[in-house]
Amino acid sequence: MCSKIPHPKLPIQNPMSAEIICVGTELLLGDILNSNSQYLAQQLAKLGIPHYYQTVVGDNRERLQQVIEIAASRVNILIFTGGLGPTPDDLTCETIADFFGVPLVERPEIIEDIAQKFAQRGRVMVPSNYKQALIPQGAEILPNPTGTAPGIIWQPRPELTILTFPGVPSEMYRMWEETAVPFLKSQGWGQEIIYSRSLKFWGIGESVLAEKVADYLNLTNPTVAPYAGKGEVRLRISAKASSPSVAEELIAPIEQQLRDIGGLDYYGKDNDTLAVVVGQLLRSSGETLAVAESCTGGGLGQMLTEISGSSDYFWGGVISYDNSAKLRLLGVNPADLDQFGAVSATVAQQMAQGVKNRLSTTWGLSITGIAGPTGGTDDKPVGLVYIGLAGPNNEVYSFEHRLGTMRGRSIIRHLSACAALDHLRRCLLSQ
């Protein structure tokens, strides 16, 4: 057991803020995705509760105590997930109690609740489950309607609130919504919310976009911050306000200004994807699309068909992975294939035109490239991709992309499909 020496109270470094502490060696090993921290971060934002730190710690008493000591010195709310089960490595409650120098007490109502749940499931409560009925003296029970591990709500100091939740996400979600949120609101939290909007850009680098919007990155309310990932750049606009509608009013003018700066590189917001935006443009113009894919192996078609109702504008595609399929199904000229190779602007154009003609669509979109890790040469390295686009007026375009030899096969395939959609998007907007 940890020493029960009372720890000195230190001035809170970040008053009126929370810290998320996720407990579990399986998280550190990467065996389980830590979705709990993402959920809690989003929920804290909805309540307008700032949080500047997230900590993951293994099932180790001493290290967990160190985490508590640091966190309790800098925030008002500590939110724990994990470590509330019946096994010896479930240490959260007893370590919290030890840290603050109070004993654990057995709560008979918890034992009764666990026994009833076991009986409903045709199981018998075993002695180890009694451990889950031990909570720090003075703490309130945070009920778990579905599982056997309750949490606690405890204020060991006037300025500090502790909430604990089991690590099972479904149990934690319900406990948070049904008990934790009403409690926090009763304590005066949730008077303001933090509301965010993400603007999405394609075809521009993070540093370039950041320079263009540099004057906006120092705003205080709303704030603007850039993010990048998988070829896409985002600008997140966040406003703190009394309600979502007030936050929207703060965000709206900044959003429009950033969209104007982004120009055609801006493609959507929040949950928009390139496939969603392209689909909307095709549907609104009454136009249709077919695709011909080589190195992406159907990934482009998958992106398009993930959208319900995409059959309104997407008529199908051809996966012409082998050259014979390019010749027989798409009508690629064998002489051009021999002279320029499958990965070339000429073949990409013929693939796009061929699939457009085969399926009688308004647009044909093609991808051919070297996704690696093998197959590259000095002239045509891994990451070289050509995109072909055949339009409604018999115009045919090709676009070369050099996506780099070190990105990896899956990311090259993903970027290729997204780049193809982006080229079509830009053409649809410029008609």
Side-chain angles (χ1 to χ4, degrees):
M1 300 292 285
C2 299
S3 171
K4 294 187 178 180
I5 300 173
H7 291 259
K9 290 193 290 184
L10 301 173
I12 300 294
Q13 297 175 22
N14 298 283
M16 306 300 285
S17 63
E19 181 161 345
I20 298 168
I21 301 171
C22 298
V23 183
T25 302
E26 68 276 8
L27 297 172
L28 292 176
L29 294 174
D31 292 338
I32 295 177
L33 180 66
N34 189 6
S35 59
N36 286 347
S37 61
Q38 181 185 35
Y39 171 83
L40 288 169
Q42 293 168 342
Q43 294 299 310
L44 289 170
K46 288 181 180 179
L47 292 171
I49 300 176
H51 97 278
Y52 308 113
Y53 306 96
Q54 294 181 10
T55 302
V56 178
V57 61
D59 301 304
N60 179 278
R61 202 182 311 273
E62 287 70 30
R63 286 191 284 274
L64 179 53
Q65 188 181 51
Q66 292 168 8
V67 166
I68 297 170
E69 184 167 15
I70 294 170
S73 72
R74 62 189 181 191
V75 300
N76 296 103
I77 303 174
L78 304 186
I79 303 173
F80 293 81
T81 69
L84 302 185
T87 60
D89 62 345
D90 291 309
L91 304 168
T92 299
C93 265
E94 61 188 80
T95 305
I96 292 172
D98 284 341
F99 180 85
F100 291 100
V102 302
L104 291 170
V105 295
E106 186 174 275
R107 299 291 291 267
E109 61 266 51
I110 296 177
I111 295 174
E112 182 180 355
D113 179 67
I114 296 173
Q116 287 179 352
K117 286 173 179 171
F118 270 62
Q120 291 168 359
R121 300 167 189 172
R123 297 167 56 192
V124 178
M125 184 175 174
V126 296
S128 61
N129 289 115
Y130 284 84
K131 177 182 177 182
Q132 294 174 293
L134 297 171
I135 67 172
Q137 187 177 58
E140 298 295 327
I141 299 169
L142 203 168
N144 184 341
T146 56
T148 60
I152 65 169
I153 299 176
W154 188 31
Q155 291 179 304
R157 300 171 183 164
E159 76 285 357
L160 182 65
T161 298
I162 292 175
L163 297 96
T164 68
F165 300 88
V168 180
S170 60
E171 296 179 16
M172 184 197 70
Y173 298 163
R174 188 166 173 186
M175 294 166 69
W176 175 266
E177 293 166 4
E178 294 184 2
T179 305
V181 170
F183 168 78
L184 290 169
K185 287 184 175 181
S186 74
Q187 301 299 301
W189 300 94
Q191 303 304 309
E192 290 187 306
I193 56 96
I194 299 174
Y195 184 86
S196 296
R197 166 149 300 142
S198 288
L199 307 185
K200 298 183 174 183
F201 302 80
W202 192 275
I204 186 171
E206 181 185 16
S207 59
V208 176
L209 183 60
E211 286 185 10
K212 286 188 173 185
V213 301
D215 292 343
Y216 294 84
L217 302 183
N218 295 318
L219 298 177
T220 54
N221 194 27
T223 60
V224 177
Y227 300 89
K230 285 194 172 183
E232 175 179 277
V233 183
R234 300 186 184 195
L235 293 177
R236 188 196 65 201
I237 314 170
S238 299
K240 192 169 187 178
S242 58
S243 68
S245 60
V246 175
E248 284 269 18
E249 291 177 4
L250 293 171
I251 287 173
I254 304 300
E255 176 184 348
Q256 188 57 57
Q257 293 164 32
L258 293 174
R259 290 176 59 169
D260 291 342
I261 292 171
L264 271 178
D265 292 328
Y266 167 80
Y267 79 82
K269 61 187 178 183
D270 294 334
N271 295 322
D272 286 341
T273 65
L274 284 163
V276 166
V277 172
V278 165
Q280 291 169 345
L281 292 171
L282 288 169
R283 182 181 280 115
S284 65
S285 63
E287 296 179 330
T288 55
L289 171 67
V291 301
E293 303 183 60
S294 184
C295 67
T296 47
L300 176 57
Q302 181 183 11
M303 288 181 179
L304 289 161
T305 55
E306 281 178 346
I307 302 161
S308 178
S310 57
S311 59
D312 292 346
Y313 50 83
F314 179 60
W315 284 12
V318 173
I319 302 175
S320 54
Y321 205 64
D322 185 75
N323 285 347
S324 62
K326 296 179 177 68
L327 296 170
R328 290 187 291 107
L329 300 178
L330 300 174
V332 171
N333 187 317
D336 290 334
L337 193 60
D338 289 339
Q339 180 179 355
F340 301 107
V343 180
S344 63
T346 300
V347 170
Q349 290 175 353
Q350 292 180 28
M351 289 171 62
Q353 187 67 57
V355 78
K356 174 181 178 291
N357 294 340
R358 281 279 183 160
L359 276 73
S360 300
T361 53
T362 315
W363 295 89
L365 186 59
S366 71
I367 304 172
T368 179
I370 305 170
T374 59
T377 65
D378 290 342
D379 292 335
K380 294 184 177 182
V382 169
L384 176 64
V385 174
Y386 288 95
I387 293 165
L389 181 60
N393 299 314
N394 294 319
E395 69 275 31
V396 185
Y397 310 98
S398 66
F399 309 92
E400 180 183 290
H401 291 266
R402 292 180 179 266
L403 302 176
T405 61
M406 303 302 293
R407 286 185 182 268
R409 184 177 180 83
S410 62
I411 187 64
I412 287 173
R413 285 155 56 100
H414 173 81
L415 294 176
S416 300
C418 289
L421 289 169
D422 186 57
H423 286 300
L424 177 56
R425 176 186 70 89
R426 291 171 188 262
C427 285
L428 290 166
L429 287 172
S430 60
Q431 287 188 110

